[in-house]
Amino acid sequence: MTTTSTDTIPLTPVYTITIASNGAAMVDGEDVTAPGTDHQAARLAALAEVRIKAALHGRPVRATVKDTDGTALPLVVDIDGTTTTLAHPHPHPTPPAPAAPSPPAAVPAAKEALGALTVAAWRAISDPDTAHTSETADFLTETAEQLVAAGADRTDTLRVIRNAHTVWHHTRDDDPETARELAPRLLGLLEGGHPRRTADVIEWSTALSHASA
């Protein structure tokens, strides 16, 4: 379990978790659970969503849970899922107001789009219903290709590439046709920096070709 000094955590972003009395939970206004969800399950699902955001930032993030009784509980959520409650009366500090608004630029918008791609990839492998399907392998491969083409953060891109290969490896025997189609694309992504994974794709593809001959 991670031990975090809350004083070192940036003041922003602060994610807002809202849990309604009907079990619907939202993070910053986006639905996480549907009405009818158990209250505790809704809370855990919302915290899991914030944990993904912490992982994308590569550090703990701040969050505020607004509960059904009207209370607002300030928390810190770490990458490993550890939550730290900030003791009352010490909520999240208010960040200083910016000196002047800056006009929107194309680069931040592009970064936001790349971040959305990375979040979607995290969600795909975090969902137990879709984490090990050939469709997810296809999606992760396509996402990795887009990240490479856009020059996204190398660490995020490598993580998606590795996950694409892992899902492909676990689903290839169940759906060899899709695996055969994805193999050349995976090799293109793995080329140069992943010798073990590259060898795995080549060996499987070669064995499949011999079996089909």
Side-chain angles (χ1 to χ4, degrees):
M1 182 174 292
T2 301
T3 301
T4 302
S5 171
T6 57
D7 295 335
T8 64
I9 301 171
L11 302 183
T12 59
V14 179
Y15 296 101
T16 300
I17 298 173
T18 306
I19 303 176
S21 58
N22 63 0
M26 294 187 297
V27 175
D28 284 357
E30 294 187 5
D31 292 335
V32 175
T33 62
T37 304
D38 175 77
H39 182 273
Q40 182 63 16
R43 180 186 176 92
L44 291 175
L47 288 173
E49 186 71 15
V50 175
R51 177 186 177 184
I52 291 175
K53 297 180 184 299
L56 292 175
H57 283 285
R59 60 167 175 80
V61 295
R62 298 176 181 271
T64 299
V65 180
K66 295 185 176 180
D67 223 323
T68 55
D69 59 3
T71 59
L73 184 66
L75 301 172
V76 168
V77 181
D78 215 328
I79 295 173
D80 64 358
T82 302
T83 59
T84 303
T85 303
L86 301 187
H88 185 77
H90 300 291
H92 299 299
T94 302
S102 301
V107 172
K111 288 184 178 179
E112 183 177 343
L114 295 177
L117 276 175
T118 309
V119 169
W122 268 95
R123 285 176 173 167
I125 63 172
S126 299
D127 187 341
D129 295 328
T130 62
H132 294 97
T133 65
S134 56
E135 289 81 4
T136 297
D138 189 7
F139 169 72
L140 292 175
T141 301
E142 181 177 349
T143 299
E145 290 172 337
Q146 293 185 49
L147 293 175
V148 170
D153 179 81
R154 186 60 179 164
T155 300
D156 291 339
T157 301
L158 289 175
R159 185 183 297 115
V160 176
I161 291 173
R162 290 193 294 267
N163 287 335
H165 169 263
T166 298
V167 177
W168 175 88
H169 178 90
H170 287 294
T171 62
R172 63 192 185 188
D173 292 335
D174 295 330
D175 190 354
E177 188 58 34
T178 298
R180 185 203 299 267
E181 295 173 359
L182 291 177
R185 297 166 61 188
L186 281 172
L187 287 174
L189 293 167
L190 295 167
E191 184 178 11
H194 306 268
R196 181 179 60 81
R197 295 175 187 271
T198 298
D200 178 55
V201 177
I202 293 174
E203 290 171 5
W204 181 85
S205 301
T206 301
L208 185 65
S209 297
H210 290 164
S212 302

